[in-house]
Amino acid sequence: MLESIGKALRIRGLSKTYFTRSGEAVEALCPVNMDIRAGEFVAVVGPSGCGKSTLLQILAGITEPSAGEAYADDTRIHGPSIDRSMVFQNYALFPWLSVRRNVEFGLEHKGVPKAERREIAERYLKMVGLSAFADKQTNELSGGMKQRVAIARAFAVDPSVILMDEPFGALDALSRRLLQRELLRIWQEHRKTVLFITHSVVEAIYLADRIVVMTARPGRIRSEIEVDLEHPRDNTSPQFAELERDIYAQLDEELTRSFGLDQDA
Amino acid sequence: MSSKPSSSTPPPSVAMGRRAAGVSGAVLRGGGKRLLPFVYAAVTIAVIWELVVVITKPDAAILPSPWQSAQTFAHLVANGELARDVYASLRRVLSAWAGAAVIGIPLGLVMGYSHRFEKIADPFIELLRPISPLAWIPLAILWFGIGEIGKVFVVFIGTFFPIVLTTVAGVKSIDPTLINAGRVYGCTSGISLFRKVILPASLPSIVVGLRISFGMGWAAIIAAELVAAQSGLGFLIANGMEILRADEVLVGMVVIGVLGVMFDSVFRYAHRRLVWTE
């Protein structure tokens, strides 16, 4: 398959239809095609309920698509794999484990020996600036710290793809800015393929190489925008502002359509 | 436990030893304060009891004074009879309760996780649960006679359902993203998911279930021993009634109560120390 060379994720005609209790079909995701290059940072923005989280869950292997297929490094995705780690909006740390053991969790299942596990966990905790908190319980941490632990957990298993589902959505504005910078630094250092879902247009422009704009439900890809700005990006620069205007205009159109407001005009 | 070493972590074995030392230490330290309400209630009961005896002057075979009962208690301790009965009751409760846990926790974990299995198993649980363990005593005697098995069976019935139901509730209350996180981070088989995520995540509920069921088992064993036994605290008080020794009956009752409170506080303590909180 020549077309797949250098592509970490290949998505072909992927769709998802849910059935409500009354048997009504809800189309969450229209057939989606997408390619993501190895080492690329792709952000997905779209109105609520556009199926962007569903897309991510299918790629993580925790939800089965209704049709279509997705490939990670040319292997068809079927079920979860430690090669595609995930960062969840509500952190999803294991509260019965210490910070260190949370970071080691995936390594244990990869069969990494204990001493090495510990060493790797230390390294990634250092990367997110939480070395001093290794032996704390997770309930002793703030939201921003919890998400840093979750990021360390995601990178520690050395995956080829990291899926991030609105990872900073539950954080206050300051922690959010800090974690965006941290994530960018870590990504530049490790060059993992990242698929990042967000509601924040500014966040998407600040972080991503490419932004995928989704339509309102049922979600399709509306447009893809390459962000050709040098890091660190200045959100007051004219180029940044223009991208922001452009994406907001598209999203506004989608929202107007989804609320049926355009019919009045 | 206010200062925790954060930078220099002792190896697990040392930490465990330290923790165990901390456990007994804290029981002794915190014990006094928590005991006070019980002392207050016990003294009040003894005073009222003494007043009733002084005013009504009953036959000692019907209602002895607290002092007479205390002497009987000392006597039963000295001749080893009380220890024998406590041991007999406790052994029955522990074996039945442990058996109920060994069967009930895995059953509850699977019922809580699989809707299909819950649909199959839940009707049986719901149908049998309202039948008091005491209602099983006659059948237990018919089936197993008055030996150990019958009494263990009755306690098993009394402890099994609360363990299953609290385990099911514990599994159902798990945040689904935790299960997803477990799967993403390598729990590919059902067994590893149960062992690494579902069991620890539902542990707080399970421990509550174990505590409640132990209390129920402790109540059930006394009833079972009242009807058919040659030993145990239930036997002690039933026998006391037959030989007109109300003092022995009262000693048995007090010991049942005091031990019940003690077991419960051990469970509460274990719950606080061993179980994670969100």
Side-chain angles (χ1 to χ4, degrees):
Chain A
M1 288 184 196
L2 269 171
E3 60 158 353
S4 68
I5 287 172
K7 282 166 190 155
L9 286 172
R10 225 152 33 91
I11 300 163
R12 291 289 176 269
L14 210 60
S15 70
K16 179 73 183 178
T17 307
Y18 287 108
F19 290 93
T20 61
R21 278 190 165 192
S22 51
E24 205 182 323
V26 179
E27 212 174 3
L29 196 63
C30 269
V32 164
N33 295 303
M34 197 192 298
D35 284 322
I36 296 171
R37 293 187 299 275
E40 195 179 15
F41 195 128
V42 174
V44 179
V45 295
S48 293
C50 74
K52 51 193 193 298
S53 283
T54 305
L55 175 65
L56 207 71
Q57 282 175 8
I58 293 172
L59 294 176
I62 52 185
T63 297
E64 285 292 315
S66 306
E69 53 247 39
Y71 298 87
D73 287 329
D74 281 335
T75 315
R76 184 160 176 190
I77 293 174
H78 188 76
S81 155
I82 207 136
D83 203 38
R84 280 168 278 122
S85 64
M86 193 160 174
V87 178
F88 300 83
Q89 183 177 12
N90 66 353
Y91 327 123
L93 297 178
F94 304 113
W96 56 90
L97 298 177
S98 67
V99 166
R100 181 202 311 280
R101 294 289 305 279
N102 264 285
V103 179
E104 286 181 10
F105 189 91
L107 297 168
E108 207 179 316
H109 292 272
K110 269 182 94 177
V112 178
K114 198 170 179 180
E116 200 179 327
R117 265 193 334 245
R118 198 182 164 93
E119 190 194 311
I120 294 171
E122 303 258 309
R123 191 160 74 237
Y124 283 91
L125 280 172
K126 192 172 171 212
M127 174 186 87
V128 295
L130 289 177
S131 295
F133 295 85
D135 295 305
K136 296 270 184 223
Q137 292 304 118
T138 57
N139 63 3
E140 297 174 75
L141 305 183
S142 68
M145 288 158 92
K146 283 181 182 166
Q147 201 57 299
R148 276 147 73 190
V149 175
I151 289 170
R153 176 174 68 175
F155 277 84
V157 294
D158 194 26
S160 57
V161 177
I162 296 181
L163 305 162
M164 306 185 92
D165 190 4
E166 295 184 39
F168 307 147
L171 300 180
D172 63 272
L174 287 177
S175 308
R176 190 169 188 151
R177 266 173 70 96
L178 178 72
L179 261 86
Q180 286 166 358
R181 278 204 295 270
E182 293 272 287
L183 176 65
L184 200 58
R185 176 179 61 76
I186 294 164
W187 173 74
Q188 285 172 332
E189 201 177 304
H190 294 261
R191 286 288 162 182
K192 297 288 176 198
T193 311
V194 175
L195 187 60
F196 187 101
I197 292 203
T198 179
H199 272 120
S200 161
V201 173
V202 175
E203 184 168 83
I205 303 171
Y206 182 76
L207 294 170
D209 296 326
R210 183 154 55 106
I211 298 171
V212 174
V213 182
M214 305 265 297
T215 65
R217 189 198 295 258
R220 285 179 294 106
I221 292 175
R222 183 190 156 111
S223 64
E224 295 187 32
I225 298 153
E226 297 280 343
V227 185
D228 234 351
L229 302 175
E230 284 289 309
H231 286 294
R233 291 170 184 163
D234 174 10
N235 62 3
T236 56
S237 75
Q239 296 96 321
F240 199 110
E242 199 189 318
L243 275 173
E244 202 181 330
R245 248 197 320 277
D246 175 27
I247 295 170
Y248 268 124
Q250 296 189 32
L251 289 174
D252 282 346
E253 238 181 81
E254 287 305 319
L255 281 175
T256 312
R257 212 166 52 77
S258 73
F259 285 121
L261 296 176
D262 55 345
Q263 286 158 11
D264 301 337
Chain B
M1 290 299 288
S2 54
S3 65
K4 277 187 182 169
S6 56
S7 53
S8 64
T9 320
S13 59
V14 176
M16 291 266 277
R18 198 177 287 174
R19 190 160 199 172
V23 168
S24 57
V27 166
L28 292 177
R29 261 180 284 126
K33 227 183 244 173
R34 274 194 289 275
L35 265 179
L36 215 58
F38 294 114
V39 172
Y40 147 76
V43 169
T44 308
I45 290 170
V47 167
I48 294 170
W49 177 0
E50 181 68 35
L51 282 175
V52 170
V53 170
V54 168
I55 293 165
T56 64
K57 296 188 179 61
D59 185 337
I62 307 299
L63 182 62
S65 74
W67 176 241
Q68 281 172 301
S69 303
Q71 282 175 312
T72 306
F73 173 76
H75 177 69
L76 289 173
V77 169
N79 69 10
E81 202 173 312
L82 193 61
R84 190 182 61 104
D85 287 330
V86 167
Y87 174 70
S89 295
L90 202 54
R91 198 186 53 199
R92 289 164 189 150
V93 172
L94 277 175
S95 48
W97 173 77
V102 165
I103 300 171
I105 293 172
L107 181 69
L109 289 175
V110 179
M111 275 177 73
Y113 187 66
S114 156
H115 284 291
R116 201 176 303 169
F117 186 72
E118 193 193 16
K119 265 190 191 160
I120 296 169
D122 194 55
F124 293 95
I125 306 263
E126 289 306 315
L127 204 60
L128 294 174
R129 192 168 63 98
I131 305 173
S132 159
L134 310 190
W136 288 87
I137 293 174
L139 213 50
I141 294 171
L142 283 176
W143 288 350
F144 306 110
I146 59 166
E148 291 300 296
I149 298 174
K151 284 176 275 292
V152 170
F153 173 76
V154 169
V155 177
F156 179 87
I157 298 283
T159 50
F160 180 69
F161 296 109
I163 289 177
V164 173
L165 293 176
T166 48
T167 306
V168 171
V171 175
K172 288 195 168 174
S173 66
I174 300 174
D175 176 358
T177 51
L178 274 189
I179 291 177
N180 282 339
R183 294 179 62 201
V184 166
Y185 286 102
C187 297
T188 40
S189 74
I191 290 172
S192 71
L193 192 64
F194 270 98
R195 212 163 60 84
K196 292 291 182 178
V197 180
I198 294 171
L199 179 63
S202 47
L203 198 62
S205 304
I206 292 174
V207 173
V208 168
L210 288 174
R211 184 185 127 220
I212 292 170
S213 68
F214 196 92
M216 293 178 119
W218 188 241
I221 190 58
I222 305 302
E225 289 168 348
L226 281 178
V227 180
Q230 301 300 318
S231 63
L233 289 166
F235 165 75
L236 178 71
I237 62 180
N239 191 55
M241 177 191 73
E242 277 174 19
I243 61 172
L244 285 180
R245 288 287 302 270
D247 52 342
E248 286 191 7
V249 176
L250 285 159
V251 167
M253 288 174 69
V254 168
V255 170
I256 290 164
V258 169
L259 287 178
V261 170
M262 275 171 52
F263 297 142
D264 201 59
S265 56
V266 167
F267 274 110
R268 280 172 189 276
Y269 185 77
H271 188 259
R272 265 202 312 281
R273 291 310 302 268
L274 301 177
V275 171
W276 56 273
T277 48
E278 202 106 37

